Amino acid sequence: MKLASKPCPWYAKAKASTRKRQAEWLKRRAVEAYFQQHYDAFDQTIAAFNVPPPPSAKRRLDSLLQEFYLRPNADLESELHDRRHNHDLTECPSCGNPLIPDTLDHFLPKEDWPEYAIFANNLVPQCRACAPIKGRRYFCTTHQRAMFLHPMYSAALASVQFKINVSLQAGRPNFEIKFSAAKTTAHADIVRIEQHLRELKVLGRMLEFCVRHWSHWRQKVKTQGIDIEALFRLEIGTDSANEYGRDWATAFKKGVLRDAEALAALNAKPPLHPAPVEELIELNIC
Ligand SMILES: [Zn+2]
C-alpha cells in the first residue's frame, strides 16, 4: 500500500465533477487553498499523534464534503474502487484478519474532519470487522494520543506478527495468543501498537477466529477426509522455522502443527462409510 503522490490527484478529479453543486464549490480559490493547506499538513497531523488534531473549520459543511465520498463522480468512484479493491493485501493491515480488505476506513473520521473525506492518504483498506469497532473514534483523551496506528505511515505496525499456541485440555482445543513486533521497534511505538490492538479488540476476535477455524477444519476432515498436516505444511511452506505468522490463519496453522496432540485430534479421520450413490436426473435450464 503506497502513499499517494502530492498534490492529491483525487481533488482534481472531484473538481472536474459534472455535478454542478460539487464542482462549483470546489473550484473556488479559497476552498482550494483550504483543502491544499490541510492536505499539506496531513503527514504532520498523523506524526503528531499525541496532540489532538484541531477541530475542522468545515464541520458545518460536513454533509457537502462527505457527499464527494458518498456520491462521487465516475472518475473519483474509479479511484475509490481501486483503493478499496485493487491492492495486493491478503489480510487486514490494521488487525491481521486473513480476509482481503474490501472496505475503506477514513483514518481521520470524515464526520469530524470532512476535509479529508476524499484525501487518498486518509483512506485505508480495512476488514469489515475492524470498521465498526474503529468507527468514528480517533483520539484517546485518557492517554492523550491517537488510539490507532495508520498502516500506511507505521512501519512498526507492519512488523506485528501473531503466535497461537494450540493445546488440548480435557479433549477440547485451547488457544493461547501472543503478539510480537520487530526487536528494533521503539518503546513509544510498542505502547502505541499495544493500544491499537487493544482498541480493535484483536485478542478476542482472534480467539473467536480460532474456535471457528478449528470447527471449520474438523468438519473438512470429517466430510472430505482432508489430511490437515499435509495441507497446513504445504500452505506454510518454508516459513515453518518462525513460530509467528503475519496473519491469524498462518499463526493458527503453525500452532496446530507444533502440538502433536492437537494435530492428531484435528486430523482424526472418522471410520469410512461410503454414502450410497443416489440416482440423479439431469436438468435443462437453457
Ligand atoms: Zn481488520
Side-chain angles (χ1 to χ4, degrees), residues 91-99 101 125-131 196 200 202 205 248:
E91 69 271 339
C92 174
S94 285
C95 74
N97 192 352
L99 293 173
Q126 193 178 57
C127 76
R128 284 174 187 262
C130 272
H196 174 98
L200 288 177
V202 176
R205 288 166 55 205
W248 307 351

Side-chain angles (χ1 to χ4, degrees), residues 85-106:
H85 298 289
N86 295 343
H87 49 68
D88 55 5
L89 298 167
T90 53
E91 69 271 339
C92 174
S94 285
C95 74
N97 192 352
L99 293 173
I100 295 175
D102 63 352
T103 188
L104 288 174
D105 170 53
H106 283 85

